[in-house]
Amino acid sequence: MNHFILIASLLLHFLLNNFVVEARQIAKSTTTRTRWVVLADVCHKYQILKNGGLKDENIIVFMYDDIAFNVQNPRPGIIINKPYGPDVYNGVPKDYTGENCTANNFLAVILGNRTALTGGSGKVVNSGPNDYIFIYYADHGSAGMVAMPTGDDLYAKDLIEVLKKKHEAKSYKSMVFYLEACESGSMFDGLLTEDMNIYAVTASTPAESSYAMYCPGHYPSPEDDFETCLGDLFSISWIEDSEKHDLQKETLQQQHGVVRRRTLVDYLDFSSHVMQYGNKELSKEPIFTYIGTNPDNDNFTMKAEEFSSNPSAEIAHWSRLTRGAVSQRDAQLHYLWHRFNRSADGSSEKIDAQKQLQNEILSRQQVDQNIHQIIAQVFGEENVSKMIESIRPAGQPLVDDWDCLKMLVRIYGEICGSLSIYGKKYTRAMANMCNAGINKKQMTLASNQACLK
């Protein structure tokens, strides 16, 4: 049996926007092609896929599941993911939730390896050599890694190894991988080879932040009773593009042009470069090949200027729409500031919000100081900036020894405390330290001197 597979992982607090997929055969043959779907924290995507005709048996859902009934959710039992949007939570199945929403389980599901699973429903992707795979993964990220709601981060090395195994097992015909995270290009740059027949698109280069969208106080803003951002710029760009076009006619390359233009507005303070990796020849294929299409869009006529290389009118349009984007790494800070700002003077809520905001700022300052001191202890004060800011040329992996990078992150966590979302901005510095020859003893001693005072 041939399978169509869509694999998606989303950060808990940044859910997908509208996206309709028609579940129908895309080619007539002697075998039936089925779409398999793996979703993580993407309630709206599930609802749309179901409306498109996919069966629950072919949909695998990862969801930490702490939003709908969170005490800070102004609409208990309901999740929305765009301003004034509908509930997307009702009826969503949950194959891997809470402590089972891990990188290990995610990779095991991709490989179809039930024996490697720890908890959950046990559903995995069973694909064959004629199958098409679409992966969408979104979470907080940093150089060389992306996060999962529970447990260890997913390192680029481990992801690439799993994709190689999938390729070696002849378990797919071709694959498309969309990745939303800060510094997401580092997950593929210098690692994903063309012969694996995978086309990857990332929200940013190996050294850029990506951006949250639909944030309070910005345009376009959620309703007044919401205090968090509802989406991310890269995701809403490709999904909102997909929901209005006939995807039998629009190619992956055309969509890349639309999304890149929307996320890259050079004259604003926030922008990221949407990147392409792997086998770029696959970008010539229609998006429909991988994710189907909404039959309501079958007669949609695309305008040439939508995909032109320098559409000034379109850039002006997107600059208005994206005026409220926030760096993903600063989303928590934005939330705390908004909560403090809107609380009544003298109220207990105001006092609590101020305390949390101050703690967040102090925590960031402490991490900055820790990393500065660790680098200075090992490499000298004069090399601190170089270690933090150095970026390898395009086409080179972030680090030569991935085990070294894991070791430094682990040692820092054991002595100084686990790296926060903000603190993970320094994984590039740790990679540079590895490339410069730091060893375990040096990192341990420097961490002790910096963090245990």
Side-chain angles (χ1 to χ4, degrees), residues 36 96 108-109 111-118 121-126:
W36 283 79
Y96 300 91
V109 166
L111 282 176
N113 185 0
R114 288 189 177 91
T115 60
L117 293 170
T118 55
S121 69
K123 288 189 343 188
V124 296
V125 173
N126 292 310

Side-chain angles (χ1 to χ4, degrees), residues 275-290:
M275 302 298 291
Q276 298 169 298
Y277 298 97
N279 185 353
K280 298 176 186 178
E281 284 295 309
L282 295 176
S283 69
K284 298 177 182 179
E285 297 182 352
I287 302 169
F288 171 75
T289 302
Y290 296 90

Side-chain angles (χ1 to χ4, degrees), residues 146-164:
V146 291
M148 281 293 284
T150 302
D152 296 334
D153 295 322
L154 175 59
Y155 282 82
K157 175 188 177 183
D158 299 327
L159 173 62
I160 296 299
E161 285 183 352
V162 163
L163 296 179
K164 285 181 178 179

Side-chain angles (χ1 to χ4, degrees), residues 154-346:
L154 175 59
Y155 282 82
K157 175 188 177 183
D158 299 327
L159 173 62
I160 296 299
E161 285 183 352
V162 163
L163 296 179
K164 285 181 178 179
K165 289 179 181 178
K166 193 76 173 174
H167 177 257
E168 291 168 358
K170 302 184 188 304
S171 295
Y172 63 90
K173 182 175 182 180
S174 58
M175 181 188 301
V176 171
F177 199 129
Y178 278 18
L179 177 58
E180 153 58 40
C182 290
E183 300 174 291
S184 47
S186 64
M187 298 294 288
F188 298 111
D189 195 22
L191 298 170
L192 183 64
T193 57
E194 291 187 18
D195 60 357
M196 293 171 64
N197 217 32
I198 298 173
Y199 167 66
V201 180
T202 63
S204 63
T205 71
E208 288 179 328
S209 292
S210 58
Y211 290 85
M213 189 62 177
Y214 299 145
C215 300
H218 290 176
Y219 177 83
S221 177
E223 296 93 316
D224 290 342
D225 51 352
F226 284 90
E227 297 181 330
T228 62
C229 301
L230 301 180
D232 61 77
L233 185 53
F234 172 74
S235 295
I236 67 171
S237 296
W238 75 263
I239 292 165
E240 291 177 1
D241 173 76
S242 296
E243 69 179 351
K244 73 177 183 179
H245 288 143
D246 180 355
L247 302 184
Q248 297 175 95
K249 299 176 181 177
E250 184 179 3
T251 67
L252 291 161
Q253 180 60 39
Q254 287 173 321
Q255 183 168 85
H256 170 264
V258 172
V259 175
R260 181 178 174 87
R261 185 166 63 247
R262 185 171 180 181
T263 58
L264 177 61
V265 187
D266 289 332
Y267 50 86
L268 296 182
D269 291 335
F270 47 83
S271 62
S272 65
H273 297 70
V274 175
M275 302 298 291
Q276 298 169 298
Y277 298 97
N279 185 353
K280 298 176 186 178
E281 284 295 309
L282 295 176
S283 69
K284 298 177 182 179
E285 297 182 352
I287 302 169
F288 171 75
T289 302
Y290 296 90
I291 60 177
T293 190
N294 179 358
D296 291 341
N297 296 334
D298 282 357
N299 295 319
F300 181 89
T301 301
M302 294 181 293
K303 298 178 181 179
E305 61 266 23
E306 289 191 71
F307 309 111
S308 63
S309 59
N310 187 28
S312 57
E314 284 288 307
I315 288 179
H317 170 67
W318 292 129
S319 71
R320 292 192 296 272
L321 288 183
T322 61
R323 192 168 292 135
V326 174
S327 170
Q328 293 277 31
R329 200 164 274 138
D330 292 331
Q332 175 69 4
L333 191 65
H334 179 271
Y335 158 71
L336 293 173
W337 172 253
H338 180 75
R339 184 167 172 241
F340 168 76
N341 225 24
R342 67 181 296 174
S343 301
D345 290 341

